[in-house]
Amino acid sequence: MAMKNIAVFASGSGSNAENLIRYFNDNQCEAKVNLVICNKQNAGVVDRASQLGVDCVVLSKDQINNSETLLPILSGHNIDIIVLAGFLLLIPQFLVDNYENRIVNIHPALLPKFGGKGMYGRHVHEAVVAAGENETGITIHYVNGHYDSGDIIFQAKVDLSPDDTADDVEVKVRQLEQIHFAKVIYNTFFSK
Ligand code: GRF
């Protein structure tokens, strides 16, 4: 079977991007991450990709929203699947159309709660603590043209205690991300 290529879009430290790169490098399956797209020059993910030998292209918001810029970069790497891992920009409609049901995002809470514009990273965990939730988790979902509202593929939960801070919640959620994200991508697209 022909090798399938994954592009990871990320804006932050890149712990999820690194985990995805390593998972598909280590697993003898027909997929690998061969491209990282980032919208912030100084994001940690840029260094991580370079250390792991994966091409990383930094693009401005305008370049990401321009089909004539973005699509040739993706087709130049023969990208089949796009994984958003802490990517903070809204995905433009032309990309949703070109990669229908082939773009997946991870959200660090149990959607539909704590999703939508502005709900990312620490903001999510702070909102979860402020709401007095007794559990949180991760949601892996397909991407449509709106924030955090595509069909849900997978959720995993973790219990919270009343004295958990946003930092504590982040640690728990990141553990779930490391355990599940790459496996869910594999099971969704590559295990059949
Ligand atoms: C993760 O919690 C992810 O779920 C969220 O943003 C964070 C990104 O972390 N959407 P990293 O850049 O992968 O370390």
Side-chain angles (χ1 to χ4, degrees):
M1 191 182 288
M3 179 63 77
K4 300 271 189 187
N5 294 312
I6 302 168
V8 176
F9 284 36
S11 307
S13 86
S15 65
N16 284 286
E18 175 166 351
N19 189 43
L20 288 159
I21 292 166
R22 289 189 187 281
Y23 179 92
F24 285 101
N25 277 347
D26 293 349
N27 276 275
Q28 299 298 318
C29 75
E30 73 283 12
K32 68 173 189 305
V33 176
N34 71 338
L35 177 65
V36 171
I37 298 278
C38 180
N39 64 312
K40 289 189 178 170
Q41 183 63 58
N42 56 1
V45 70
V46 176
D47 280 346
R48 288 198 205 236
S50 121
Q51 274 165 25
L52 291 160
V54 174
D55 285 353
C56 180
V57 179
V58 179
L59 297 174
S60 68
K61 182 177 178 180
D62 285 350
Q63 288 174 313
I64 285 165
N65 285 328
N66 184 339
S67 60
E68 289 175 18
T69 303
L70 185 57
L71 291 179
I73 294 171
L74 298 176
S75 56
H77 284 76
N78 296 313
I79 296 302
D80 301 289
I81 303 294
I82 295 172
V83 178
L84 312 185
F87 187 65
L88 300 186
L89 299 179
L90 186 64
I91 291 300
Q93 191 60 46
F94 73 81
L95 198 57
V96 175
D97 294 341
N98 273 267
Y99 283 84
E100 199 181 355
N101 293 325
R102 292 187 293 148
I103 311 179
V104 170
N105 180 44
I106 188 162
H107 186 78
L110 296 170
L111 291 174
K113 285 174 145 185
F114 307 107
K117 189 167 167 53
M119 273 294 178
Y120 59 88
R122 276 198 70 83
H123 299 294
V124 177
H125 306 316
E126 282 163 5
V128 166
V129 170
E133 296 289 302
N134 58 15
E135 63 177 14
T136 189
I138 59 172
T139 302
I140 298 169
H141 63 93
Y142 289 107
V143 171
N144 57 22
H146 309 277
Y147 285 110
D148 302 325
S149 59
D151 289 348
I152 291 173
I153 299 169
F154 174 88
Q155 292 186 306
K157 293 179 180 177
V158 62
D159 289 338
L160 299 178
S161 35
D163 53 356
D164 275 343
T165 64
D167 284 343
D168 298 326
V169 176
E170 179 170 357
V171 168
K172 290 181 174 182
V173 167
R174 283 186 177 278
Q175 282 171 352
L176 291 180
E177 292 175 345
Q178 295 295 310
I179 294 167
H180 296 289
F181 195 17
K183 272 188 210 156
V184 171
I185 299 299
Y186 174 77
N187 289 337
T188 302
F189 294 107
F190 304 115
S191 69
K192 291 153 200 115

